[in-house]
Structure formats: structure tokens, C-alpha cells
Amino acid sequence: MDQAYAAVDEVLQCESDPVGDPIVPVGNSGKLTTEQRLCSEHVQVDLYPDEAALQTSFEILVNSHQGEVHLVRGANWIVVDVTDVATGEPTTWDIQRLAEELNGRYTTAGT
């Protein structure tokens, strides 16, 4: 997690002590992530044990329809920005740039 978080922090300049708790994606067999860490109150980094858990979590987020969620997906991680869902306001985090810098796949979901 430290390596993934450091890479995200380098691009996004995460808050030093974000308030809140990560949103925990849960599948049929329980918690899908191995670790999670907040970058800000509404932006988090999730690590996954395997492709199946990552794909299930991604599908849950894409199908949420609770508001716009910005996602960057990597090999075993996802960065999730739920600012719009949590606040009703557009995000100010440059999640799309994060995808470019970390060779991830950017998408918006839940709209």
C-alpha cells in the first residue's frame, strides 16, 4: 500500500491527515480489498488480492447510480473519487491526470 499511496500522492498531493473512513466494497464473500487508504475525505486508494475481486468492486462502483464516481484502475488497485456522491459538487481532484501518470484506465461511473 505504501508504494501505491506514494505514487498517488505524488500526482494528487493528498491531504496530510484526511478525515473519514474509506468506503469498503463488499461482494458475496465479504470484503473485496486487502488494504485501503484515504488520499482525501472523498478520494481513496484500494488494493485487491486478485483480478476477480478488483473486477467485482469495479462493477459495483460502475453500477452504483448514486452520482458521478471517478475511477482509475490499475493492475491490482483502484483510486476512487466519490466527491460528487458525498457532496453533490463536482470534484476538484484531477483523477484523469492520475490515470495518465500511473498508466491506469480512467472512467466515470454511477451517473
Side-chain angles (χ1 to χ4, degrees):
M1 172 55 82
D2 291 339
Q3 213 172 13
Y5 183 83
V8 171
D9 184 36
E10 187 173 316
V11 176
L12 295 182
Q13 303 298 302
C14 295
E15 296 173 0
S16 60
D17 192 20
V19 176
D21 295 310
I23 298 167
V24 180
V26 177
N28 293 335
S29 59
K31 182 178 166 185
L32 295 168
T33 59
T34 56
E35 284 188 76
Q36 298 178 285
R37 186 167 173 189
L38 290 175
C39 173
S40 78
E41 184 177 6
H42 305 300
V43 177
Q44 67 188 52
V45 181
D46 296 348
L47 291 183
Y48 293 87
D50 54 43
E51 177 63 29
L54 185 140
Q55 183 61 34
T56 299
S57 181
F58 183 77
E59 289 172 10
I60 289 168
L61 291 164
V62 166
N63 295 318
S64 70
H65 302 293
Q66 296 178 13
E68 190 170 63
V69 177
H70 297 265
L71 304 161
V72 175
R73 179 178 173 175
N76 68 333
W77 54 270
I78 295 178
V79 174
V80 182
D81 178 355
V82 295
T83 301
D84 182 75
V85 174
T87 68
E89 298 293 324
T91 188
T92 58
W93 295 95
D94 194 351
I95 302 299
Q96 192 165 7
R97 181 173 150 251
L98 178 71
E100 294 165 7
E101 294 286 330
L102 300 183
N103 296 318
R105 290 179 278 166
Y106 170 78
T107 191
T108 57
T111 56

